[in-house]
Amino acid sequence: NRRSLRNSTPRESPSTENALLKPRRWVRTGGRLAKSPLSEFSDDTDTETEAAKADPFIRPTTPKRYSKTFSNTINHNHSNHHIDYSFRTANSTYSTSPIMARESSAKPSSSKGAQNKSDHSPTKTKSSSSSSDTQKQKSQTSSQTGKTDNNDTHWSWGVFLLILVLGIGTRFYKVEEPDHVCWDETHFGKMGSWYINRTFFFDVHPPLGKMMVGAFGYLTGYNGTFPFESPGQKYNETKYVGMRVCCTALGSMLVPLTYLTVWEMTESTSAACLAAAFILFDVGLLTLTQYILLDPILLFFISGSVYTSVKFYTYRNNPFTLVWWTWLVLSGVFIACAISVKFVGLFTVLYIGFRTIYELWEILGDLSQPITYTLKHFIARAICLIALPFALYVTFFYIHLAVLNRSGNGDGFYSSAFQSQLIGNPLYNASMPREVAYGAIVSLKSQRTGGGYLHSHWHLYPEGVGAKQQQITTYAHKDENNKWIIKKFDEAAPKLDNETAPIELIKNGDLIRLEHLVTKRNLHSHRLPAPVTKKQWQVTGYGENGTGDANDVWRIDVVGGKPGDSINVVSSRLRFIHQLQNCILSGTGKQLPKWAYEQMEVSCAQNHRDVRKSTYWNIEENHFPRLPNISFQVHAPNFIEKFVESHTIMFEGNAGLKPKEGEVTSRPWQWPINYRGQYFSGSTYRIYLLGNPVIWWANLALLPLFAIIYIYNAWKEQRGYEENVDTKAARDKTVTVCCWLFVGWALHYLPFYTMGRVLYFHHYFPALLFSSMLSAVIIDYFIGRLMSTVSFLKDNGFFHVMYGLTLSSVAYSFYLFAPLSYGTSGPLAAEENSTMHGLKWLDSWEF
């Protein structure tokens, strides 16, 4: 029987093996190994591992800073000391620290096509001579327990092919239904059309996913003419199926990628099969990957990033070989593609970054290698995981800007100089006067990132919103209502066709009035609060036929200019200061309600020290036929300038996304509990995005269970509790794998709590991939622990029973909830005669 290490006393008569080790380098002191005072006189070469072999109940001590590894080659005579679940391999290396433990064992040379180099890894033990004995022992134990060897290659590949076929079959079933636009297909299908037509547009996401949608459509015969106006619009004769099929093909790869990832991390076919089943039978992932969306593309690249990084780690003992470089480069390519589809891919980049730091720390801890060896590893990773992804990311944007070279409805979000490069834009190859004269018809553009044009229309502010005068807003699209006439503050504007009237240029510091070309009302401000930004003054349109009052007068100020400087088109940054109220015209960027058609607010800011781009304006269009024209090409930006401007606009646009009236949104706390789904199609043929509740709630329950395992492992480590080396190695490996999966889940979920933008249910699905893999590893570990602890369970087919129950539960729940993905009709689930009535487990579910 085992005795507590703390209460044990030194043995009086050492064993024969121990006697042969004298004079000893390692002696037991208080239950731990320590160097003998006589070790310096000893010529023997025993190691910590050899000392541990001599007394298997003594755990070797290791330095706290660096984690040494030892090979699990101890053969125990008693069957209850032998553990035969999936974590045991013939040539495994485990760390004695649960934090720095290796997540996957070094593969035998026969499976990896290479062997360990002894000069690079002095801490490895010589286990090759006992590999055949270990394999025989595993085979014998497998036949005794009735459990299939999880490392059997044929069995693993057979399961892989099965889940691959099931993944493809479930995803492609009814992929052409419904034959109308569903949910965000109205956005991304339309953007795919714009790529085919080379029409420029604005979106808050990077371009790769949308370029792929456009390429899918072009290659499958879609001509880019369907309008994608709104959800429910019939496709009719449009060739839309090709785009759906290509997106679905990428989504179907999530199942095999999950299987391969978990297998590489655990070398357990059963754990990999469970993880793949959780992805396969989740109706939410099925729904999200069957349509023309960015989500199947994003999830594919996230899964590929994780798998390639894990696969690369398995070749850590064969650095700088061709296969090592291949997986490192593939990892860089996948993370570049992930962040090029959506900025959510940044969380994946952080995850791979943490793994890379961990790997470099391991290499640095190998004291047998010079520091230059660590530096080589760092440079290799910097090239493949930083420089290569950045180069690919920039390349995708270069292609994006080169393809979209025609003017579209997104022009107004960008600067005047940017627009001058778009074919069909009024500024493309345009020529206009460089300087601005009184009487010119101009358009004023806010230099705030993504800012629009100074705009007005016939509609008035509603009752209770300041003075009931004409609305002044900023509008992102080109319009006749964006045009203004510049005139002196005390004179009428000169006629443009009057050839005899003198031409008088506008100077820095002049007092002016701005008259709206269409409504003939002047730009006006007064001491009433603005509609949204209450601390600033309201700006209105006031007067009749250009006649108003003293509150229409503004002083024009050139930023960085001198008094008397002339005003130039595009290049001059202007501020308009109200002469009486001493406030500055500002495009705040705050969205107005529906009474202003959700355009952006314009106010007059009192704080002159608060210098922001929202108070800067430039003159874009300048119509004055009596002045000589110059080509607009002088203002053309280069690629770097367009690249930087595009990102600034995307970041601000993303942060400023707000829910529209009547839109169903959600909060992050609702996602893991599957609180509410989301309609994809709300017509008679209904599609509803909802996670499989059996899988989601199991994931939620197993997260705290992982925390318990981690704390328990740390407690035993700190207390110096001695136990069977196989048991400890298996638990250390499980804890390490689960730690990485937990980090992936946290990185893809917790940051959403800090975001102020509008959020939706589908934002949780990248995190779901990690939590599903985490659940599978924990379940597999506990089944193995029960089998090793309770001996009679091995003989009663416990393994097959438990896995059968788990798989049948998720498969049956998929069968019940699959109509949410494949489409339902008839009464809603709230009605008793509905076929889905019994499945409405939560009142918040709306299917």
Side-chain angles (χ1 to χ4, degrees):
N1 297 328
R2 298 184 184 180
R3 295 176 299 172
S4 172
L5 191 61
R6 292 184 178 275
N7 297 328
S8 64
T9 57
R11 299 176 182 177
E12 296 181 2
S13 57
S15 64
T16 305
E17 289 183 353
N18 289 342
L20 295 176
L21 296 176
K22 292 183 177 180
R24 301 179 64 186
R25 293 180 61 195
W26 300 92
V27 297
R28 181 174 58 187
T29 304
R32 289 184 176 271
L33 291 181
K35 273 199 171 184
S36 167
L38 301 178
S39 62
E40 58 183 297
F41 303 106
S42 175
D43 295 330
D44 64 322
T45 58
D46 62 304
T47 62
E48 290 185 39
T49 305
E50 292 168 344
K53 287 182 181 180
D55 188 348
F57 293 105
I58 297 180
R59 186 167 55 82
T61 58
T62 54
K64 291 296 182 183
R65 182 179 177 187
Y66 300 109
S67 173
K68 293 186 178 181
T69 60
F70 59 93
S71 190
N72 180 21
T73 58
I74 301 172
N75 297 322
H76 298 286
N77 296 324
H78 300 289
S79 60
N80 62 335
H81 288 164
H82 180 76
I83 298 175
D84 188 48
Y85 47 96
S86 57
F87 302 107
R88 188 101 187 270
T89 58
N91 184 23
S92 301
T93 55
Y94 299 106
S95 171
T96 59
S97 169
I99 302 300
M100 298 294 290
R102 305 202 182 248
E103 71 180 22
S104 60
S105 60
K107 305 293 188 299
S109 59
S110 60
S111 62
K112 289 299 178 188
Q115 59 184 5
N116 297 334
K117 299 180 181 179
S118 59
D119 57 334
H120 286 174
S121 304
T123 61
K124 297 172 186 173
T125 60
K126 300 178 181 180
S127 60
S128 58
S129 61
S130 61
S131 61
S132 60
D133 295 337
T134 308
Q135 293 291 348
K136 291 178 181 178
Q137 185 180 6
K138 291 169 62 180
S139 177
Q140 292 171 358
T141 307
S142 298
S143 61
Q144 292 172 1
T145 60
K147 177 182 174 182
T148 305
D149 187 356
N150 291 328
N151 291 317
D152 188 304
T153 304
H154 298 293
W155 169 247
S156 298
W157 277 108
V159 174
F160 173 78
L161 291 175
L162 176 63
I163 62 104
L164 177 62
V165 170
L166 289 175
I168 293 174
T170 53
R171 268 56 185 172
F172 280 95
Y173 177 64
K174 288 189 173 183
V175 70
E176 75 283 358
E177 298 181 11
D179 60 348
H180 59 249
V181 178
C182 292
W183 194 49
D184 271 358
E185 283 187 332
T186 184
H187 297 302
F188 303 117
K190 185 184 299 180
M191 292 173 187
S193 300
W194 285 333
Y195 274 105
I196 294 174
N197 299 321
R198 308 191 69 174
T199 303
F200 189 80
F201 64 92
F202 165 71
D203 187 48
V204 297
H205 303 302
L208 179 61
K210 294 162 292 187
M211 284 196 297
M212 291 178 67
V213 169
F216 294 158
Y218 180 78
L219 294 174
T220 56
Y222 171 60
N223 58 11
T225 58
F226 188 75
F228 288 95
E229 291 178 347
S230 60
Q233 183 183 11
K234 285 286 186 179
Y235 282 116
N236 296 322
E237 301 300 321
T238 303
K239 294 182 178 180
Y240 69 97
V241 177
M243 289 186 283
R244 277 194 186 172
V245 165
C246 292
C247 291
T248 302
L250 295 179
S252 66
M253 291 297 102
L254 298 180
V255 180
L257 282 173
T258 300
Y259 178 92
L260 293 172
T261 301
V262 175
W263 197 93
E264 291 293 342
M265 297 180 86
T266 65
E267 293 182 341
S268 168
T269 301
S270 52
C273 182
L274 275 181
F278 290 164
I279 302 301
L280 172 67
F281 293 125
D282 185 72
V283 292
L285 280 169
L286 170 62
T287 304
L288 203 60
T289 54
Q290 276 195 312
Y291 299 95
I292 307 170
L293 304 172
L294 298 186
D295 298 274
I297 304 173
L298 173 67
L299 293 172
F300 168 75
F301 286 129
I302 290 176
S303 294
S305 301
V306 177
Y307 170 64
T308 52
S309 68
V310 170
K311 187 71 174 178
F312 165 73
Y313 184 71
T314 63
Y315 288 95
R316 62 193 178 279
N317 295 322
N318 304 285
F320 307 111
T321 59
L322 178 61
V323 67
W324 185 88
W325 279 108
T326 299
W327 287 108
L328 182 59
V329 170
L330 283 175
S331 183
V333 170
F334 270 99
I335 62 175
C337 292
I339 197 172
S340 298
V341 174
K342 280 188 176 183
F343 286 124
V344 172
L346 177 63
F347 305 146
T348 307
V349 175
L350 290 176
Y351 177 75
I352 303 302
F354 286 143
R355 289 186 62 92
T356 302
I357 293 171
Y358 164 73
E359 293 166 12
L360 290 174
W361 179 255
E362 271 194 333
I363 295 168
L364 183 63
D366 186 356
L367 300 180
S368 66
Q369 299 294 339
I371 194 66
T372 55
Y373 181 73
T374 304
L375 185 61
K376 289 179 182 178
H377 276 274
F378 173 80
I379 294 174
R381 286 163 173 80
I383 292 172
C384 296
L385 299 181
I386 299 176
L388 175 62
F390 180 76
L392 287 175
Y393 184 80
V394 173
T395 302
F396 295 144
F397 258 94
Y398 182 85
I399 297 172
H400 162 75
L401 294 173
V403 171
L404 301 183
N405 62 353
R406 299 183 182 277
S407 178
N409 63 1
D411 296 10
F413 290 95
Y414 293 81
S415 67
S416 304
F418 191 107
Q419 295 178 47
S420 68
Q421 302 298 294
L422 300 174
I423 300 173
N425 189 284
L427 302 180
Y428 180 74
N429 284 338
S431 59
M432 61 183 65
R434 176 192 294 272
E435 297 172 318
V436 183
Y438 285 107
I441 299 174
V442 300
S443 63
L444 296 172
K445 192 175 191 313
S446 172
Q447 291 199 345
R448 178 186 174 275
T449 304
Y453 299 95
L454 187 66
H455 178 94
S456 187
H457 40 238
W458 289 104
H459 301 278
L460 307 181
Y461 286 102
E463 195 72 38
V465 182
K468 196 173 181 180
Q469 297 175 3
Q470 187 166 293
Q471 297 174 12
I472 301 292
T473 64
T474 57
Y475 186 53
H477 307 288
K478 292 186 181 295
D479 191 295
E480 281 297 308
N481 283 322
N482 300 339
K483 295 183 177 180
W484 302 80
I485 302 172
I486 299 184
K487 56 186 181 181
K488 287 187 176 182
F489 77 100
D490 56 353
E491 293 181 11
K495 300 293 183 181
L496 294 180
D497 56 356
N498 186 353
E499 297 290 341
T500 60
I503 299 174
E504 190 172 353
L505 299 179
I506 303 174
K507 305 293 184 182
N508 182 18
D510 283 2
L511 297 179
I512 64 168
R513 295 177 191 255
L514 287 169
E515 178 184 325
H516 192 243
L517 180 65
V518 175
T519 64
K520 301 299 180 182
R521 287 176 176 164
N522 295 331
L523 188 70
H524 177 99
S525 185
H526 44 232
R527 288 181 176 269
L528 289 174
V532 179
T533 312
K534 299 296 183 181
K535 292 183 178 180
Q536 300 181 11
W537 302 135
Q538 182 187 30
V539 176
T540 67
Y542 180 76
E544 293 290 339
N545 293 320
T547 303
D549 61 18
N551 277 322
D552 302 341
V553 180
W554 302 80
R555 185 175 78 253
I556 193 166
D557 176 60
V558 179
V559 177
K562 299 177 182 178
D565 285 351
S566 60
I567 309 299
N568 293 329
V569 172
V570 178
S571 58
S572 293
R573 289 197 300 175
L574 310 176
R575 300 211 300 175
F576 296 91
I577 302 173
H578 197 271
Q579 182 66 11
L580 294 185
Q581 312 303 336
N582 198 31
C583 56
I584 306 174
L585 187 70
S586 173
T588 65
K590 303 290 181 63
Q591 191 176 52
L592 294 169
K594 274 194 170 183
W595 49 257
Y597 305 98
E598 297 180 343
Q599 296 175 10
M600 300 300 172
E601 178 190 45
V602 173
S603 66
C604 202
Q606 300 97 298
N607 187 0
H608 286 225
R609 296 181 181 178
D610 186 13
V611 179
R612 299 183 181 180
K613 284 189 175 182
S614 60
T615 63
Y616 295 164
W617 303 81
N618 69 268
I619 294 176
E620 181 176 285
E621 294 184 57
N622 178 24
H623 178 65
F624 195 87
R626 296 170 60 199
L627 283 175
N629 294 334
I630 63 166
S631 174
F632 219 86
Q633 283 297 111
V634 298
H635 305 295
N638 57 36
F639 168 71
I640 299 299
E641 292 171 331
K642 292 194 288 185
F643 179 81
V644 172
E645 181 178 346
S646 297
H647 280 77
T648 308
I649 293 173
M650 282 193 301
F651 290 146
E652 292 201 5
N654 214 325
L657 286 177
K658 301 299 179 185
K660 297 179 181 178
E661 189 173 338
E663 189 175 20
V664 177
T665 62
S666 61
R667 298 303 305 161
W669 68 266
Q670 299 174 341
W671 302 340
I673 63 176
N674 212 17
Y675 179 76
R676 173 184 288 170
Q678 191 164 335
Y679 269 115
F680 265 46
S681 174
S683 61
T684 54
Y685 191 86
R686 295 186 295 275
I687 306 292
Y688 190 72
L689 176 66
L690 185 73
N692 186 327
V694 173
I695 296 174
W696 285 54
W697 294 342
N699 289 346
L700 193 62
L702 289 170
L703 277 173
L705 187 58
F706 155 69
I708 293 172
I709 297 174
Y710 182 85
I711 294 171
Y712 175 70
N713 189 66
W715 176 79
K716 297 189 81 171
E717 187 75 21
Q718 290 297 321
R719 300 284 293 177
Y721 186 80
E722 62 180 56
E723 58 185 322
N724 179 277
V725 67
D726 285 344
T727 303
K728 183 185 183 306
R731 191 179 66 249
D732 283 350
K733 187 174 186 179
T734 301
V735 168
T736 305
V737 170
C738 290
C739 278
W740 280 119
L741 294 174
F742 178 82
V743 169
W745 172 82
L747 284 174
H748 287 80
Y749 172 55
L750 298 182
F752 286 103
Y753 282 94
T754 65
M755 295 184 184
R757 56 153 289 174
V758 60
L759 298 173
Y760 302 98
F761 178 50
H762 71 276
H763 286 136
Y764 182 69
F765 281 84
L768 176 69
L769 298 177
F770 291 92
S771 64
S772 296
M773 289 189 284
L774 176 61
S775 298
V777 174
I778 292 176
I779 292 173
D780 185 67
Y781 170 74
F782 269 99
I783 293 177
R785 289 292 297 130
L786 285 172
M787 291 180 62
S788 64
T789 305
V790 185
S791 57
F792 79 89
L793 293 179
K794 298 180 181 179
D795 303 325
N796 294 330
F798 180 74
F799 169 83
H800 299 92
V801 171
M802 291 304 296
Y803 277 90
L805 286 174
T806 305
L807 291 174
S808 59
S809 297
V810 296
Y812 183 66
S813 61
F814 173 80
Y815 167 76
L816 293 176
F817 286 94
L820 299 181
S821 297
Y822 294 130
T824 61
S825 57
L828 296 174
E831 302 177 27
E832 293 185 1
N833 60 340
S834 171
T835 56
M836 304 293 289
H837 179 70
L839 297 177
K840 197 173 189 299
W841 298 349
L842 296 180
D843 291 336
S844 54
W845 294 352
E846 301 161 322
F847 54 82

